[in-house]
Amino acid sequence: MVSNTGESTDNTNVINSLNLKQVGDKPFVGETPQDVLNTWLTPNSSFYVRSHFDYPDISSDDGENWSITVDGGIGESAELSIGEIKKLPIKTMAVTMECAGNNRSDLNPLVSGNQFENGAVSNAIWTGVSLCDVLKTVEIDPETVEILFEGADSGVPESGYDHSSYLRSLSLEIANDPDVILAYEMNGETLPIEHGFPLRLIVPGWYGMASVKWVKNIKAVKEPFHGYFQGKKYVVRYKNGNEHPLTEMQIKSFVTSHKDGDSVGKGILSIGGLAWAGRSRVKSVKVSVDGGETWNSANISGPSDNYAWQKWDFSWSIEDPGQYTLISRAIDEEGKEQPLESVWNELGYAVNGVKPVTIEVV
């Protein structure tokens, strides 16, 4: 394998350069460390990694000569080089991305899958072009219902299934949203190989599985797509038999300034954390220092972008030693409130209940 720096490498060398807590392997899965989660912008090397197959073999030269096929389902398909794509109007956005399985380890009983704690969520500034501008380069069949994306990564997803690429689709309505982009830069740098170099889809406000990496083919389809990563996986299945596909990220927040077991002294304690709300926006955050018995309004701080998480902080005056449980709870502009408890589901998706943090005041 060759990296986008032009130096010979392999998956192991790429992984060793990352500042991540390993959660899984074959392929590597890593979450952002707790100390990095206390910052608004996540460095590329600390941005969580979740892939379904090994990284495809793409060199820096391959990236410069990369092209994608766009098939509108009628007329001739178009082959667009990365150079032609970069000539389209530039779109830059801060977007928080969360893995659908983030906080899966909180569920009881435990479910299978990568046992993420808090760190399968990160925030970056992405630069690319609006997908809708790319779709305008072909004639879209009027009977189209979805746009299908194929990544260059492939493998056997599970025993009993055939070898296949990573495939996901979006409704035509979402695909035509100008805020859905094909990105080629991340935090002002060339997109790293582990994040989809040379081109990846970014679907703001949706769980990360929708943002297909290493995009090579885009196709208009007349029927809803039901592939492995859209029909079998990334479907929330509840105990009562009800189920629904994963789409938008749910309202969520947590404390990042402290972790379970921290010891602090009496006086003024600054408590801080992050909150996000998918395609909505965070309106307010409440904080409890007594395990949810009483609540206080936090101060919303830092940059405020449509699809990026929001920093919050709260100053607490501690007079008595003892054990205290810190909890944050976010509310979005539509009035949706973060639940006190997560809803158990078969594959451990969309876990967004509050996350208590117990500290000792000495």
Side-chain angles (χ1 to χ4, degrees):
M1 179 179 177
V2 185
S3 76
N4 58 347
T5 64
E7 300 177 352
S8 296
T9 185
D10 56 23
N11 284 353
T12 300
N13 289 339
V14 172
I15 291 163
N16 288 341
S17 69
L18 302 177
N19 175 32
L20 295 174
K21 173 187 173 184
Q22 185 167 351
V23 178
D25 59 6
K26 298 181 180 179
F28 172 81
V29 179
E31 62 180 327
T32 303
Q34 174 80 12
D35 60 337
V36 182
L37 286 173
N38 206 29
T39 62
W40 183 79
L41 191 66
T42 311
N44 291 354
S45 61
S46 299
F47 198 103
Y48 86 89
V49 171
R50 172 67 171 109
S51 302
H52 298 85
F53 307 117
D54 283 339
Y55 309 153
D57 292 327
I58 303 174
S59 69
S60 57
D61 288 340
D62 292 334
E64 291 176 2
N65 298 310
W66 194 257
S67 63
I68 62 171
T69 299
V70 185
D71 184 355
I74 188 172
E76 294 186 4
S77 59
E79 185 170 327
L80 300 178
S81 69
I82 191 73
E84 290 171 321
I85 291 170
K86 289 182 178 180
K87 290 179 181 178
L88 295 171
I90 296 174
K91 185 88 169 182
T92 297
M93 298 187 303
V95 176
T96 295
M97 191 174 297
E98 182 181 18
C99 178
N102 194 26
N103 290 105
R104 179 180 282 127
S105 63
D106 293 349
L107 292 181
N108 186 20
L110 289 176
V111 299
S112 61
N114 296 301
Q115 296 301 304
F116 292 113
E117 294 182 350
N118 292 330
V121 60
S122 305
N123 186 55
I125 296 173
W126 309 88
T127 297
V129 300
S130 293
L131 172 64
C132 59
D133 287 340
V134 172
L135 295 178
K136 289 174 184 175
T137 63
V138 297
E139 185 177 359
I140 302 295
D141 191 313
E143 296 182 16
T144 296
V145 295
E146 291 183 347
I147 303 296
L148 180 63
F149 304 86
E150 180 181 10
D153 53 329
S154 64
V156 178
E158 184 180 326
S159 178
Y161 284 81
D162 295 332
H163 187 283
S164 66
S165 303
Y166 185 79
L167 294 159
R168 287 277 312 187
S169 69
L170 292 173
S171 70
L172 189 59
E173 178 185 5
I174 294 295
N176 278 318
D177 184 333
D179 289 343
V180 174
I181 68 173
L182 289 171
Y184 46 78
E185 288 185 2
M186 179 179 181
N187 288 332
E189 300 176 357
T190 299
L191 199 64
I193 185 67
E194 65 271 16
H195 294 296
F197 172 82
L199 199 65
R200 86 170 287 176
L201 185 67
I202 299 293
V203 186
W206 282 45
Y207 286 107
M209 78 284 154
S211 295
V212 179
K213 295 189 277 189
W214 310 292
V215 172
K216 67 175 185 176
N217 291 317
I218 300 174
K219 182 179 182 180
V221 294
K222 297 179 182 179
E223 296 180 357
F225 175 69
H226 296 291
Y228 179 86
F229 294 108
Q230 200 157 334
K232 181 174 174 63
K233 296 294 186 179
Y234 299 115
V235 176
V236 183
R237 300 185 179 95
Y238 299 107
K239 289 180 179 180
N240 61 9
N242 291 336
E243 63 178 55
H244 65 81
L246 275 172
T247 54
E248 297 178 27
M249 297 188 298
Q250 300 299 298
I251 180 72
K252 191 169 181 177
S253 70
F254 64 103
V255 175
T256 59
S257 57
H258 299 83
K259 57 183 181 295
D260 268 329
D262 278 357
S263 181
V264 301
K266 291 184 291 183
I268 303 298
L269 182 68
S270 180
I271 303 168
L274 296 161
W276 59 99
R279 290 178 73 83
S280 182
R281 300 187 71 170
V282 174
K283 180 180 180 181
S284 61
V285 176
K286 297 186 293 185
V287 179
S288 175
V289 297
D290 54 14
E293 293 294 324
T294 59
W295 295 90
N296 307 274
S297 294
N299 174 53
I300 302 295
S301 60
S304 178
D305 291 77
N306 285 345
Y307 304 111
W309 58 25
Q310 187 71 61
K311 293 196 73 173
W312 59 264
D313 61 82
F314 174 71
S315 292
W316 173 38
S317 179
I318 316 170
E319 298 179 356
D320 301 316
Q323 195 174 78
Y324 295 85
T325 299
L326 315 178
I327 305 175
S328 68
R329 194 178 192 190
I331 301 95
D332 71 13
E333 290 183 335
E334 299 171 2
K336 295 179 183 176
E337 191 165 15
Q338 183 179 1
L340 293 174
E341 295 185 2
S342 298
V343 180
W344 189 96
N345 62 93
E346 181 183 308
L347 297 175
Y349 294 139
V351 177
N352 70 324
V354 300
K355 180 79 171 181
V357 173
T358 301
I359 63 171
E360 189 77 25
V361 177
V362 295

